[in-house]
């Protein structure tokens, strides 16, 4: 099985609150289906999550009960986004169901606790793809917490030990500088524990769930459950399909 995260930057327009990119999501789902590979999808929240989460500092957990309307609004919005994603998967011929982490699991101090994984396993067993996503989840110590799609990826990686793990965003991979503002930025094709230190921690993004450095560290730890963990650009038509078919494509490979 190949575990794929559709980042919020490819399924939504991150600059506009609740803007779903139906065309791009549809194309990516078709690329997965036509690859003929067994895939499992997780998705991010994009502008259905980050805009309100940031405004009400939801990443800090419960500080004030005035945050609660924002918590339920984000939960509502990401569930709706998830239905849009599942609809595109189904249209592409991939049977899938949205499984909201906030309705199935709990967190503790910002970490997702998924010891009741029976539903997920049972769905996969009968050929239904459980689709997890970035959500606001009740937290034993902080009241509530933000569960990123990346945390959901980690949980699924542990359960299913996928052959490959793919993180899809709107950039080619990890660069020596921000490729959107620096034209001399070079793609780093391979990341290992050895060259991690040379990666600038300034390559942070504005989202509530952390920058690229933390992401690479998470990907390195996921290498315990898979052979290959890659960052891939989903805005380039055909690239995901080519990768799934085992072709050489532009991407960043993270290996332990
Ligand atoms: C964020 O999930 C979850 C919320 C803000 C509720 P992700 O961190 O996985 O989302 P993207 O991929 O960055 O948009």
């Amino acid at each position: 099985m190949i575990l794929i995260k559709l980042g919020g930057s490819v399924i939504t327009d991150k600059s506009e609150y609740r803007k779903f990119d139906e065309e791009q999501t549809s194309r990516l789902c078709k690329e997965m289906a036509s690859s003929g590979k067994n895939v499992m999808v997780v998705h991010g929240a994009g502008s259905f999550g980050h805009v309100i989460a940031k405004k009400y500092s939801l990443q800090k957990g419960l500080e004030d009960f005035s945050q609660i309307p924002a918590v339920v609004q984000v939960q509502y919005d990401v569930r709706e986004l998830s239905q849009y994603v599942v609809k595109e998967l189904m249209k592409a011929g991939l049977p899938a169901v949205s499984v909201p982490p906030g309705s199935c699991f709990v967190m503790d101090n910002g970490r997702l606790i998924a010891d009741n994984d029976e539903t997920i396993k049972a769905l996969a067993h009968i050929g239904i793809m459980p689709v997890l996503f970035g959500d606001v989840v009740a937290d034993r110590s902080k009241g509530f917490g933000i569960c990123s799609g990346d945390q959901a990826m980690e949980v699924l990686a542990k359960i299913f030990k996928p052959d490959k793990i793919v993180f899809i965003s709107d950039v080619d991979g990890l660069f020596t500088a921000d490729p959107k503002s620096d034209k001399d930025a070079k793609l780093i094709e391979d990341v290992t524990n050895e060259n991690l230190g040379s990666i600038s921690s300034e390559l942070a993004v504005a989202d509530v769930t952390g920058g690229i450095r933390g992401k690479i560290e998470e990907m390195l730890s996921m290498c315990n459950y898979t052979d290959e963990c890659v960052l891939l650009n989903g805005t380039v038509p055909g690239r995901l399909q080519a990768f799934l078919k085992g072709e050489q494509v532009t991407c960043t490979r993270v290996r332990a």
Side-chain angles (χ1 to χ4, degrees), residues 5-9 14 43-47 49-50 53 74 78 133-136 146-150 207-209:
K5 182 189 171 195
L6 294 175
S9 62
K14 281 193 124 171
H43 66 83
S47 61
H50 289 291
V74 172
V78 292
F133 54 88
D135 196 7
V136 186
I146 294 216
C147 165
S148 66
D150 292 18
D207 294 339
V208 287
T209 38

Side-chain angles (χ1 to χ4, degrees), residues 8 11-21 45-52:
I11 58 169
T12 76
D13 177 345
K14 281 193 124 171
S15 63
E16 195 178 323
Y17 175 53
R18 285 176 49 94
K19 184 121 200 296
F20 177 56
D21 191 334
S47 61
F48 286 68
H50 289 291
V51 177
I52 292 190

Side-chain angles (χ1 to χ4, degrees), residues 134-163:
D135 196 7
V136 186
V137 177
D139 188 297
R140 287 172 185 158
S141 41
K142 298 191 343 175
F144 60 78
I146 294 216
C147 165
S148 66
D150 292 18
Q151 277 210 53
M153 288 287 282
E154 209 173 325
V155 161
L156 294 173
K158 210 170 178 171
I159 299 172
F160 295 104
K161 313 276 181 320
D163 303 311

